[in-house]
Amino acid sequence: MEILKRVYQNAQKYQKRIVLPEGLEPRTLRATEIILNQKLARIILLGNPDEINQAAVELGVNIDGATIVNPKTDPKRELYASLMVEIRKEKGLSYDAALELLNDPLYFACLMIKNGDADGELAGAINATGDVLRPALQYVKTLPGVSVVSGAFLMFVNDPQYGHDGILVFADCAVMPNPDERQLAEIAITTAKTAKAIVGMEPRVAMLSFSTMGSAQHPLVDKMVNATRIARELDPDLKIDGEMQLDAALVPEVGRLKAPNSEVAGRANILVFPGLESANIGYKLVQRLAKAEAVGPILQGMAAPINDLSRGCSVSDIVNMVVITANQAAALFE
Ligand code: ACO
């Protein structure tokens, strides 16, 4: 796939420092060997160095070249704890409680990023999404002007007639259970930025519903209509339209029939779903039944790239997501 090739080349060029908090996890160690061999990023593994090196030997993988940092003994713990107290002073976090939290590699990784000691993080092979996201939301926080973090998937659908030559971007498939109108508008805008930055596509965003241009009346339909209006107010240059049904978004004849004046209908390459239920179920349907390759979730809107893996991830999923994280870091920091 041409796009993945370009994304890999970018990663090789920028050599970002990606921290992997699940340093003892076998798929993570195998992925580390591949990443280091192919020079895709600099890797920081968190955990006890003796245990990690022993695990690598037992797996027969070479992780020479990775930096191993032990969150329980690292000399920067005091510095990070002070930073945490400062960031969470309104929440009343004590210094001792901060030190305790730093024993958790998921918190330690976020503080490394906050302090400029790493450029991005990838976790989730053995931790649930919420546990990966919470420290990131609390300490790394959102980009200026963005209030909501969301998760996009690149969907490679093996059919060039859809989306951008067979690539679509779906959101929010990972984070906000029940976004409001303003949050849906922000999700549309940040997903368009992700699509442009990673895929290089000219975004055409469809705000999905069970109704197209007023064919049904319901508060859930109004929600997508209002989200579309707010997104247009926030970003007047964005090509976005809705509410529309999935077939009107993707199929030119249906789009022409149901939304004849839309520049998005029938040609959408970004699909914004009304909520996490439909988005998460939707991407998995396309992945499983249409055999699409799903790359993500790519978390967007965070002040630094932090991505979450599915616990069912493969070694190549981890390598792909390290590469995506490195690309996000390059886009944010160069
Ligand atoms: N964007 C920005 N900030 C957020 C967001 C968001 N989407 N969600 C929560 N926050 C902030 C809160 O304002 C809060 O800030 P504060 O502590 O400074 O006041 C902080 O993050 C923690 O928020 P809580 O609501 O206390 O945390 P919660 O326990 O609800 O966790 C979470 C938030 C983890 C995102 C939760 O909404 C969640 O679990 N979402 C679903 C994740 C999931 O299961 N996804 C499906 C699986 S992924 C897959 O299949 C690919």
Side-chain angles (χ1 to χ4, degrees):
M1 270 176 282
E2 209 43 48
I3 302 245
L4 280 183
K5 209 160 117 191
R6 181 169 54 74
V7 177
Y8 269 64
Q9 283 166 350
N10 274 345
Q12 283 167 332
K13 180 168 154 202
Y14 288 108
Q15 290 299 302
K16 291 294 172 190
R17 298 161 302 168
I18 308 300
V19 56
L20 306 177
E22 295 157 336
L24 263 180
E25 198 281 318
R27 288 161 297 172
T28 302
L29 288 171
R30 291 192 197 284
T32 296
E33 180 181 48
I34 295 169
I35 293 158
L36 294 173
N37 270 343
Q38 298 184 19
K39 298 191 168 43
L40 297 170
R42 288 183 277 162
I43 294 294
I44 304 163
L45 295 168
L46 298 189
N48 179 310
D50 293 339
E51 288 174 14
I52 291 177
N53 285 321
Q54 179 63 28
V57 168
E58 281 165 16
L59 287 168
V61 299
N62 180 356
I63 55 163
D64 292 350
T67 302
I68 303 179
V69 174
N70 189 343
K72 295 196 170 146
T73 57
D74 191 71
K76 288 195 171 162
R77 280 173 60 82
E78 284 78 17
L79 173 67
Y80 291 170
S82 304
L83 202 53
M84 289 171 82
V85 171
E86 174 61 24
I87 295 169
R88 301 294 283 176
K89 58 175 179 273
E90 269 136 44
K91 305 278 173 181
L93 182 78
S94 72
Y95 183 77
D96 286 348
L99 278 179
E100 182 61 34
L101 283 173
L102 283 169
N103 291 331
D104 179 343
L106 295 171
Y107 278 85
F108 192 91
C110 288
L111 268 295
M112 287 189 81
I113 291 175
K114 195 70 199 167
N115 196 49
D117 297 324
D119 302 312
E121 174 196 339
L122 179 66
I126 48 170
N127 284 287
T129 299
D131 295 332
V132 175
L133 286 183
R134 217 165 286 111
L137 294 171
Q138 289 173 351
Y139 292 96
V140 177
K141 298 189 185 272
T142 52
L143 280 167
V146 175
S147 72
V148 57
V149 168
S150 56
F153 269 89
L154 306 184
M155 302 297 296
F156 295 80
V157 296
N158 307 312
D159 189 342
Q161 70 172 306
Y162 293 120
H164 175 89
D165 210 15
I167 306 169
L168 290 122
V169 187
F170 289 11
D172 162 24
C173 309
V175 186
M176 289 294 291
N178 189 17
D180 64 22
E181 293 165 356
R182 160 85 196 202
Q183 289 168 331
L184 283 164
E186 277 196 31
I187 289 167
I189 292 166
T190 44
T191 307
K193 286 187 181 145
T194 299
K196 220 169 174 171
I198 295 181
V199 184
M201 62 167 65
E202 195 49 51
R204 292 186 297 274
V205 184
M207 302 295 275
L208 296 181
S209 177
F210 56 84
S211 161
T212 303
M213 305 300 171
S215 63
Q217 267 91 49
H218 192 277
L220 290 173
V221 174
D222 297 341
K223 188 176 180 182
M224 296 313 279
V225 173
N226 292 335
T228 309
R229 176 181 47 75
I230 297 167
R232 286 193 181 122
E233 285 163 11
L234 293 172
D235 184 354
D237 295 329
L238 181 62
K239 283 192 181 137
I240 180 167
D241 217 343
E243 93 293 357
M244 68 178 80
Q245 288 156 286
L246 183 85
D247 54 352
L250 292 183
V251 184
E253 309 84 79
V254 183
R256 273 195 296 276
L257 188 72
K258 293 187 174 181
N261 300 320
S262 172
E263 57 179 349
V264 170
R267 323 171 48 219
N269 48 26
I270 295 176
L271 303 181
V272 174
F273 291 76
L276 182 54
E277 282 178 310
S278 55
N280 191 272
I281 294 166
Y283 102 78
K284 285 179 196 273
L285 275 175
V286 177
Q287 180 188 36
R288 297 291 166 178
L289 299 185
K291 310 262 180 285
E293 178 161 5
V295 176
I298 301 168
L299 293 185
Q300 39 185 22
M302 200 92 76
I306 294 177
N307 282 310
D308 172 47
L309 294 160
S310 158
R311 276 171 289 177
C313 67
S314 64
V315 172
S316 73
D317 290 335
I318 300 179
V319 176
N320 277 342
M321 284 309 296
V322 164
V323 165
I324 297 269
T325 309
N327 272 253
Q328 288 177 290
L332 278 175
F333 301 134
E334 295 306 316

